[in-house]
Amino acid sequence: PFHSNGDYEGIAYAGTDIYVLKSNGNIYQVSFSGASGNTRKILKADIDKADFEGLCLDRKNNRLLAVPKNNPLEDSEDKNRHPAYGLDLKTETFAGTPVFYFDRKSIKEFAKKNDIDDAAFKPSAIGIHPVTGEIYVLSAASRMLFVFSPNGSIRHIEKLKRGIFNMPEGISFTPEGDMFISNEGGESSPTILRFNYIGK
């Protein structure tokens, strides 16, 4: 059992703590002593209209990155910018404003240029490649993997085959750069797939 009932969507490991993301933006800091874990603190994002799904460690900036599946800025002048929020691990404070944005217009233009249909950007998981620093974002709704430069510009979009990726909801990397993608069950059994990194 973990804490109370709820929709827990993301998990990240930093130092001796594990951080668990709830869809409402709450982040649970869990410290381990021996074989058991205890929730030390609950940190709140308090971002209106955000349905959070992705969480990862941004080691370079000593922070956690949290991204919502939806775009909470949809009804504003920033509707073409999808936000990523940051939790500073030193101060344990959540930035009230996004730490950077994914440009949805650039994503659509890139997809069109490369003949990729239905490139809906609805993040279900986020991870940072430990070798290249690139940002990887899964979109389970469209079964796509988006790759961005460290500054957030689109570099690649990969369509994921339905027969292999039932519901891609999690992404992680080894220190050497090998990638793991996890799929929820539903139509078939849940899976964890490994992709070995081949340096450029």
Side-chain angles (χ1 to χ4, degrees):
F2 176 77
H3 212 266
S4 57
N5 291 338
D7 187 16
Y8 298 98
E9 293 285 359
I11 187 168
Y13 173 75
T16 58
D17 293 329
I18 287 176
Y19 295 85
V20 179
L21 174 69
K22 200 173 183 178
S23 61
N24 65 359
N26 288 355
I27 292 182
Y28 298 76
Q29 182 188 35
V30 182
S31 294
F32 277 81
S33 176
S36 62
N38 298 299
T39 301
R40 282 182 51 203
K41 202 172 291 185
I42 302 174
L43 309 159
K44 297 180 182 291
D46 288 329
I47 307 298
D48 289 339
K49 302 178 182 178
D51 178 15
F52 284 95
E53 287 218 0
L55 182 74
C56 76
L57 173 65
D58 180 358
R59 195 178 302 278
K60 181 180 178 181
N61 294 295
N62 193 36
R63 66 188 179 191
L64 297 176
L65 292 179
V67 292
K69 178 180 179 180
N70 65 324
N71 184 3
L73 308 176
E74 192 69 50
D75 298 325
S76 73
E77 59 184 17
D78 287 327
K79 64 182 180 181
N80 284 320
R81 302 201 298 169
H82 196 108
Y85 299 93
L87 173 70
D88 188 301
L89 289 173
K90 183 178 181 180
T91 62
E92 295 186 337
T93 56
F94 227 111
T97 56
V99 292
F100 66 87
Y101 297 89
F102 297 104
D103 191 323
R104 295 169 72 185
K105 188 175 180 181
S106 295
I107 293 170
K108 289 180 180 178
E109 290 174 351
F110 183 92
K112 184 177 180 180
K113 182 179 178 181
N114 290 276
D115 297 319
I116 300 172
D117 298 325
D118 302 322
F121 187 70
K122 296 182 178 181
S124 56
I126 184 172
I128 298 176
H129 197 283
V131 178
T132 67
E134 292 173 318
I135 303 167
Y136 283 59
V137 178
L138 282 172
S139 179
S142 56
R143 284 191 179 83
M144 289 191 179
L145 174 64
F146 298 82
V147 182
F148 300 87
S149 68
N151 66 8
S153 59
I154 185 67
R155 282 188 173 170
H156 183 72
I157 300 175
E158 186 72 23
K159 297 180 73 172
L160 305 178
K161 294 182 180 179
R162 185 186 186 96
I164 301 174
F165 299 91
N166 173 52
M167 187 62 72
E169 291 278 354
I171 189 168
S172 187
F173 297 93
T174 66
E176 297 76 26
D178 294 348
M179 178 175 66
F180 292 88
I181 292 178
S182 61
N183 291 277
E184 283 189 3
E187 297 177 4
S188 58
S189 299
T191 60
I192 298 176
L193 307 175
R194 178 172 181 159
F195 301 87
N196 294 335
Y197 176 64
I198 300 175
K200 297 179 181 177

